[in-house]
Amino acid sequence: CWLNHSGGKNGDPRTTTKFIELVRRHRCIKAWFSGHFHLGQDYQDSITFPTIPREEGPYPNRGSCVFAQTSVMRAGTSRDTRQQSRLLRGNKDGFEICTVNHAAGGTVRLDATITYTDSNHEVGVYAHDHAELDHDSFMKVYSPSEGDECYVGYDGDGDGVSIDPTDGCQVDEETVAWWHMSDGRVLGVYDGRLIEYEPSTLAPLGLVVGYDELQGKKVVVVGSGVPDECVASTASVSQAVGMEGADCAEFEGEEQAVLLVDEETGGITVVQPNED
């Protein structure tokens, strides 16, 4: 668990990216199963297929690998009452991912079929309808993609490090926006929350500010100005397969502050930088 963000505050940044880089470099890795979340396997996000080729559209490179979440077999450790495990069936065309339902006598359900088109590419197809994760303790997180309309860039006429991601508006449940920080981190607002994303895959890492604290406030990013080569919008970024964003992996970036502004009270909360 926590493979992609367990390097610690002063850890080597390569510690948190080496696993996804292995997947990108070695397209013989076809499936990766993770059992950390203790959630069932009935939700669409429990299986993620490889992304389409770069030339065909947005490209958070996941190599040639299917990522599958694995549930738990015992009721006492399940967060949503489901008792499930995965079954993998190989065939001449690729493989199938199935669910074994331990609460129903071990019945088997086909979840997805993955068919190889050649040694480096495949097509994945979901095999059943997905349940909605409808529970107060859980939330569905928007995952950005390069080029989508919710991305907030840095104004070419500005200082290169200050932006207003929510466009001067107070955050509510309909606000959706994401942006790059100068140090390479990716933040976003969705469902009334401030979320951090993994820079190269744009997968959600964790919650930065919760719903109650963020509601009704504006999110503002400010900085002191930096040379062009250090600005998120103009910095050179490697396009080598498996090394997206590696150029800036060790660059701490120009200091920026993420502020929560309450216009009613005039209060300002500094979210970043902080001691964590």
Side-chain angles (χ1 to χ4, degrees):
C1 60
W2 308 113
L3 290 181
N4 285 328
H5 54 298
S6 57
K9 178 180 179 181
N10 300 313
D12 186 334
R14 291 171 295 184
T15 300
T16 59
T17 59
K18 64 182 179 182
F19 300 101
I20 189 64
E21 288 175 3
L22 283 171
V23 169
R24 290 167 172 163
R25 289 170 177 165
H26 303 286
R27 298 185 74 89
C28 57
I29 302 175
K30 295 300 183 182
W32 187 301
F33 295 83
S34 172
H36 173 64
F37 291 102
H38 292 240
L39 284 174
Q41 299 166 184
D42 298 339
Y43 315 116
Q44 181 171 344
D45 288 349
S46 68
I47 295 180
T48 303
F49 294 133
T51 45
I52 59 178
R54 184 194 303 276
E55 62 273 11
E56 295 182 14
Y59 192 76
N61 184 359
R62 301 189 187 101
S64 188
C65 183
V66 177
F67 288 87
Q69 174 184 311
T70 302
S71 184
V72 293
M73 298 170 61
R74 188 171 66 84
T77 58
S78 175
R79 296 169 62 196
D80 58 3
T81 73
R82 289 166 171 81
Q83 297 171 248
Q84 301 168 324
S85 61
R86 296 287 189 188
L87 174 65
L88 190 65
R89 290 172 169 165
N91 55 54
K92 64 181 180 61
D93 299 314
F95 60 93
E96 298 175 339
I97 299 177
C98 305
T99 283
V100 179
N101 188 344
H102 299 276
T107 57
V108 176
R109 179 193 69 200
L110 177 64
D111 292 333
T113 299
I114 292 82
T115 304
Y116 301 139
T117 56
D118 56 40
S119 59
N120 290 323
H121 301 88
E122 55 282 303
V123 175
V125 178
Y126 293 115
H128 67 92
D129 294 332
H130 299 100
E132 291 296 326
L133 190 59
D134 186 15
H135 193 286
D136 291 341
S137 299
F138 311 128
M139 67 175 182
K140 186 175 178 62
V141 178
Y142 157 79
S143 292
S145 60
E146 292 291 347
D148 73 22
E149 61 184 9
C150 298
Y151 180 71
V152 181
Y154 291 83
D155 188 347
D157 296 329
D159 62 6
V161 289
S162 301
I163 54 174
D164 182 359
T166 56
D167 196 24
C169 300
Q170 297 177 342
V171 173
D172 58 28
E173 295 179 3
E174 304 299 320
T175 305
V176 182
W178 66 280
W179 63 94
H180 284 88
M181 301 291 289
S182 291
D183 61 3
R185 289 182 173 88
V186 176
L187 298 179
V189 175
Y190 175 73
D191 195 30
R193 298 167 172 86
L194 182 62
I195 299 166
E196 181 177 2
Y197 295 91
E198 199 281 319
S200 63
T201 63
L202 298 179
L205 283 181
L207 184 67
V208 180
V209 179
Y211 179 90
D212 292 340
E213 187 177 356
L214 192 58
Q215 281 296 292
K217 299 182 176 66
K218 296 196 304 181
V219 178
V220 180
V221 180
V222 297
S224 57
V226 294
D228 286 347
E229 62 270 18
C230 299
V231 177
S233 59
T234 57
S236 62
V237 178
S238 172
Q239 297 301 315
V241 174
M243 297 301 290
E244 291 87 345
D247 315 64
C248 303
E250 298 182 3
F251 173 59
E252 294 184 357
E254 170 72 8
E255 181 176 343
Q256 288 177 300
V258 179
L259 310 178
L260 307 183
V261 180
D262 189 330
E263 291 191 328
E264 291 187 4
T265 65
I268 297 177
T269 302
V270 180
V271 177
Q272 181 182 331
N274 57 49
E275 294 181 355
D276 297 329

